Amino acid sequence: MAKTTEKYELMYIINPNLSEEETAAVVEKFKALVEQNGTLEEMEEMGKRKLAYEINYISEGYYVLVKFTSGPDFPAELDRVLGITDGILRSLITRRPE
């Protein structure tokens, strides 16, 4: 029998120039999206940190780490939404080992 859910980890970086309200709205948007399509296991707002390299002349970002389980189709959709959301500098979704 095939497994229907996999464990994933999402790290995304929000533009630090957004206001606190805008940042909170972005975080809430992705939290809700994960909850609608899977199970949110852990979410850590790591706050502003220096980027390893500048992205569009921005040297810091607001980091958020999300651990979740979902069906195998959801990460591609999540990645698509992250890619078209204003304020997201970078994102990476990886599958976690069992």
Side-chain angles (χ1 to χ4, degrees):
M1 187 174 125
K3 283 199 315 189
T4 54
T5 62
E6 295 278 354
K7 292 176 178 263
Y8 296 97
E9 190 170 276
L10 161 65
M11 169 72 80
Y12 62 97
I13 306 171
I14 302 171
N15 186 325
N17 300 327
L18 297 183
S19 70
E20 278 185 37
E21 293 77 23
E22 290 169 318
T23 299
V26 171
V27 170
E28 190 51 49
K29 170 182 177 169
F30 288 105
K31 180 179 180 221
L33 192 61
V34 167
E35 287 174 337
Q36 287 161 13
N37 294 279
T39 306
L40 181 68
E41 292 177 359
E42 190 183 324
M43 188 166 129
E44 182 184 353
E45 291 187 48
M46 299 163 82
K48 281 188 184 172
R49 297 194 170 187
K50 196 154 179 57
L51 299 175
Y53 54 90
E54 287 190 0
I55 301 170
N56 303 333
Y57 304 105
I58 296 169
S59 61
E60 349 178 88
Y62 188 88
Y63 284 69
V64 183
L65 176 67
V66 182
K67 293 181 180 179
F68 66 97
T69 54
S70 75
D73 299 338
F74 174 60
E77 173 61 13
L78 180 59
D79 198 43
R80 185 190 72 79
V81 176
L82 282 157
I84 59 174
T85 300
D86 285 343
I88 299 290
L89 295 178
R90 286 287 185 276
S91 63
L92 180 66
I93 301 169
T94 52
R95 194 155 17 148
R96 290 187 290 154
E98 290 301 313

